[in-house]
Amino acid sequence: DVQLVESGGGLVQPGGSLRLSCAASGFTFSNSWMHWVRQTPGKGLVWVSRINSDGSSTNYADSVKGRFTISRDNAKNTLYVQMTSLRAEDTAVYYCARGRFGDYGMDVWGQGTTVTVSS
Amino acid sequence: QSVLTQPPSASGTPGQRVTISCSGSSSNIGSNYVYWYQQLPGTAPKLLIYMNNQRPSGVPDRFSGSKSGTSASLAISGLRSEDEAHYYCTSWDDSLSGWVFGGGTKVTVL
């Protein structure tokens, strides 16, 4: 089965750091563009970042640019996002998602991992 | 404030047709494909429509998408109770160099 499983969420203080992971299985991870998308409780979806299949190209939402870094390890079939200088407004459920045939939509989503930024 | 504009809610009775609009600009919908996602309560989003009007395998043909200029719409015909969910549109934005989402529309089956 095609599957994405996020991990690494938790409670962190404002200004702190956290690294989320997304383990992929059931498909050729090294051929797939990947995304992070977040959702604040009770609110809508917000795209965070994307990375191309070999990791040579990345894009970020303005709200996280300079604070978050997306990366991948194709040998381990794992996607990451390193989050630093965390703010209360970064509190959300973070989903990883696979880009469909490159970057034509996001066709596989993980179950999400929750990040709470609070003192 | 979302870059793409959707109505916050829509409703219909079983069997009816419901349409959800998604309004954008020349830098997103006007020059790129539109995608739609369905999010059932407590679950991750699911791709419903890709490249404006294409359905992934397994998505019923009751769901259809269209695009005209800088707007798009999702239609659900033959509304069923299991269609009660949030629906989101998204598109790539050339000016922002990022994906933008609508605020979501909650569909209620009366």
Side-chain angles (χ1 to χ4, degrees), chain B residues 58-71:
Chain B
V59 173
D61 59 6
R62 302 185 295 103
F63 295 91
S64 62
S66 63
K67 171 185 147 177
S68 178
T70 59
S71 294

Side-chain angles (χ1 to χ4, degrees), chain A residues 31-53:
Chain A
N31 288 347
S32 299
W33 291 49
M34 297 296 296
H35 299 263
W36 288 101
V37 177
R38 69 186 182 185
Q39 185 169 34
T40 306
K43 297 289 181 64
L45 301 170
V46 176
W47 175 80
V48 173
S49 181
R50 77 170 181 184
I51 187 168
N52 70 346
S53 57

Side-chain angles (χ1 to χ4, degrees), chain A residues 64-77:
Chain A
V64 306
K65 203 170 291 184
R67 300 187 300 122
F68 289 15
T69 302
I70 190 172
S71 63
R72 64 192 297 158
D73 186 335
N74 285 344
K76 295 183 178 180
N77 290 340

Side-chain angles (χ1 to χ4, degrees), chain B residues 24-82:
Chain B
S25 68
S26 58
S27 64
N28 42 66
I29 293 178
S31 52
N32 294 291
Y33 290 118
V34 177
Y35 302 79
W36 290 89
Y37 297 89
Q38 177 193 58
Q39 188 174 32
L40 298 170
T43 69
K46 168 190 169 183
L47 181 63
L48 203 62
I49 296 289
Y50 66 93
M51 294 172 67
N52 300 336
N53 55 18
Q54 302 299 303
R55 284 185 308 277
S57 60
V59 173
D61 59 6
R62 302 185 295 103
F63 295 91
S64 62
S66 63
K67 171 185 147 177
S68 178
T70 59
S71 294
S73 62
L74 173 73
I76 311 173
S77 59
L79 193 64
R80 303 177 66 160
S81 58
E82 58 259 40

Side-chain angles (χ1 to χ4, degrees), chain A residues 7-8 16 21-23 32 37 51 60 68 88-90 94 104 108-109 112:
Chain A
S7 61
S21 300
C22 169
S32 299
V37 177
I51 187 168
Y60 298 90
F68 289 15
E89 53 264 37
D90 295 318
Y94 285 75
Y104 291 94
V108 179
W109 294 66

Side-chain angles (χ1 to χ4, degrees), chain A residues 1 11 17-18 26 29-30 35 38 56 65-66 73-74 78 82 86 88 96 102 111 116-118:
Chain A
D1 280 2
L11 174 64
S17 299
L18 206 59
F29 180 74
S30 59
H35 299 263
R38 69 186 182 185
S56 62
K65 203 170 291 184
D73 186 335
N74 285 344
T78 303
Q82 177 70 47
L86 283 162
C96 64
Q111 85 289 349
T116 303
V117 184
S118 175

